[in-house]
Amino acid sequence: MVCFLVGIAGFTSNKRVREIQLKTPLKFLLGFHILALISTIWSVSPSLTGYRSFECIAYTLLIATALNNVIRKNGVEVLVKWVLFYATIAIIASIIGRARLGGMDIFSLQTLFTEQMNSTPYFFFALLLPASFVSKALILSISIFSLSNTAYAGMGLGSYGLSSGNRWLKIIFFTSIILLIAFLSIYGVNAFLQNTLFYGKGGVGLEYTTGRNTIFEYSWEEAQKRPFTGYGFVAGDAFVINKRFQGVIGAHNGVLSSLLGMGYPGALLFILFLIKMFFLSKRRIFPSIYRSVFLGSVILLSVHTMGNPGLGTRVYGTWKPAVVIFTTICTVYLHFKRKERRFEQASLKSTDLI
């Protein structure tokens, strides 16, 4: 409730916060969460759906208000440093919390496995932008050694963002592509996948993953029973999935969670949001380094969303990092958009004076 009150105060009193929410792709995410709240009406668990959808709206508004305050007072460079600082604090707090609750050694491999959802979303921020040694060491080491196939796939595909960067980033990207093509031509695609994403598995394919393919198939089948309404936001994950898979917290796929929760309307809003974010991150209005970071991060998070708990369901897993990063991109976009508009107006005034 405190998060909601602070967020709604920022939304109603500050034009820039409203622009972040209503004049960027975030409007599709906000619409998605409003539809999630409406789905309380037909949910198989109204209390669960109502609480979780309200929670998403509260955090969405709060994050937009916080990031707007940072960029308004300090500018873009401080904003991205602040985001990395926030990520570092969140990771450290989570590690300590997990260690105390689960009795884990803070510096154990288990810590890397459990913290990858808090770390890998910020991989390209930490890799390419100025940050403290602690932030870079923590985020990059956990991302690289997390042993998460979903994270590795996201980082690999997200490296496409380097092609939108400066000259040196483009050289690194195209050199990597050439080396990858040479490797594949010599050893073959199956050998490459068997020794990377499917290392230690019995073969290559969804059937050799951690069982997500079975969950995906079951989620799709159950979603078709209520294709236009779903079972209610989060309730679809919690009740439908658990009928067959005890202890599984959800579909592990944002689109399928949307389908289970709100049917095709919810899934459509969710997909539109990701597509709009992809094209926004490529805009030439961003300086090349930011464009590279933002595009890579959007791709990474989209992959994460298709294989882990996060956007599309309750505030858990990669949800907070994803909303922080997407909101940062939209906030920076509006900042440069306003600068561009002011420059155009100044040019027009100069022309009039002449």
Side-chain angles (χ1 to χ4, degrees):
M1 182 58 72
V2 172
C3 292
F4 176 76
L5 291 176
V6 174
I8 200 67
F11 182 84
T12 55
S13 64
N14 194 307
K15 179 183 177 183
R16 290 188 175 185
V17 176
R18 291 196 296 275
E19 288 180 345
I20 293 172
Q21 291 288 351
L22 303 177
K23 292 190 176 182
T24 70
L26 287 174
K27 63 187 175 185
F28 294 103
L29 185 63
L30 182 62
F32 174 83
H33 289 139
I34 291 172
L35 179 60
L37 185 61
I38 294 172
S39 72
T40 303
I41 299 170
W42 61 79
S43 173
V44 295
S45 177
S47 59
L48 177 63
T49 295
Y51 172 73
R52 290 304 184 184
S53 55
F54 178 79
E55 180 185 36
C56 288
I57 292 172
Y59 274 109
T60 300
L61 294 173
L62 177 66
I63 290 168
T65 299
L67 295 183
N68 177 69
N69 286 342
V70 175
I71 196 171
R72 179 175 56 84
K73 295 177 181 179
N74 303 286
V76 173
E77 291 185 5
V78 173
L79 173 64
V80 294
K81 289 180 180 178
W82 186 91
V83 167
L84 282 168
F85 174 74
Y86 159 77
T88 304
I89 296 300
I91 293 166
I92 293 173
S94 181
I95 289 174
I96 294 173
R98 287 178 185 274
R100 291 185 62 188
L101 290 174
M104 293 187 299
D105 185 345
I106 290 179
F107 301 103
S108 67
L109 282 175
Q110 186 63 30
T111 299
L112 299 180
F113 302 155
T114 55
E115 280 308 308
Q116 59 99 359
M117 290 190 190
N118 283 327
S119 304
T120 51
Y122 299 100
F123 176 76
F124 289 104
F125 275 72
L127 180 67
L128 299 175
L129 295 176
S132 69
F133 172 79
V134 173
S135 294
K136 283 185 176 289
L138 196 62
I139 293 171
L140 295 179
S141 62
I142 292 177
S143 300
I144 293 170
F145 297 108
S146 65
L147 302 182
S148 166
N149 288 346
T150 304
Y152 293 155
M155 291 188 295
L157 293 173
S159 63
Y160 172 72
L162 300 179
S163 65
S164 296
N166 57 32
R167 178 186 174 188
W168 291 109
L169 290 179
K170 288 179 179 178
I171 291 173
I172 292 171
F173 173 74
F174 288 111
T175 301
S176 300
I177 292 296
I178 292 170
L179 292 175
L180 178 61
I181 293 173
F183 184 91
L184 292 178
S185 64
I186 296 172
Y187 296 101
V189 176
N190 271 4
F192 173 76
L193 293 175
Q194 186 70 68
N195 288 281
T196 53
L197 293 180
F198 293 91
Y199 182 77
K201 307 294 183 181
V204 175
L206 283 177
E207 64 271 22
Y208 296 103
T209 60
T210 54
R212 281 182 174 85
N213 60 307
T214 307
I215 298 172
F216 292 168
E217 290 169 6
Y218 178 71
S219 299
W220 174 258
E221 291 170 3
E222 291 298 306
Q224 300 315 300
K225 297 176 181 178
R226 290 193 181 185
F228 298 106
T229 60
Y231 298 85
F233 182 66
V234 177
D237 276 349
F239 286 85
V240 175
I241 300 296
N242 266 279
K243 283 194 302 184
R244 181 168 172 181
F245 303 97
Q246 293 296 320
V248 176
I249 60 175
H252 286 71
N253 181 290
V255 175
L256 289 174
S257 290
S258 303
L259 273 172
L260 285 170
M262 295 161 285
Y264 289 125
L268 178 61
L269 279 173
F270 188 71
I271 292 170
L272 275 173
F273 168 67
L274 293 179
I275 291 173
K276 291 287 187 179
M277 282 302 310
F278 174 79
F279 285 108
L280 178 71
S281 66
K282 296 175 62 177
R283 295 285 294 269
R284 290 290 173 183
I285 198 170
F286 295 119
S288 60
I289 186 64
Y290 290 132
R291 188 166 59 249
S292 184
V293 171
F294 293 165
L295 179 57
S297 297
V298 168
I299 295 172
L300 188 157
L301 284 166
S302 297
V303 174
H304 245 306
T305 297
M306 299 306 163
N308 281 324
L311 287 180
T313 183
R314 66 186 176 95
V315 180
Y316 181 76
T318 59
W319 194 98
K320 280 184 186 176
V323 174
V324 168
I325 290 171
F326 286 141
T327 306
T328 297
I329 295 171
C330 292
T331 302
V332 174
Y333 165 73
L334 289 176
H335 171 82
F336 285 116
K337 191 73 174 175
R338 282 189 288 267
K339 285 186 67 174
E340 184 182 70
R341 193 179 301 120
R342 286 196 294 267
F343 177 78
E344 290 174 352
Q345 290 172 349
S347 298
L348 287 173
K349 288 180 180 178
S350 299
T351 303
D352 292 340
L353 288 174
I354 293 173

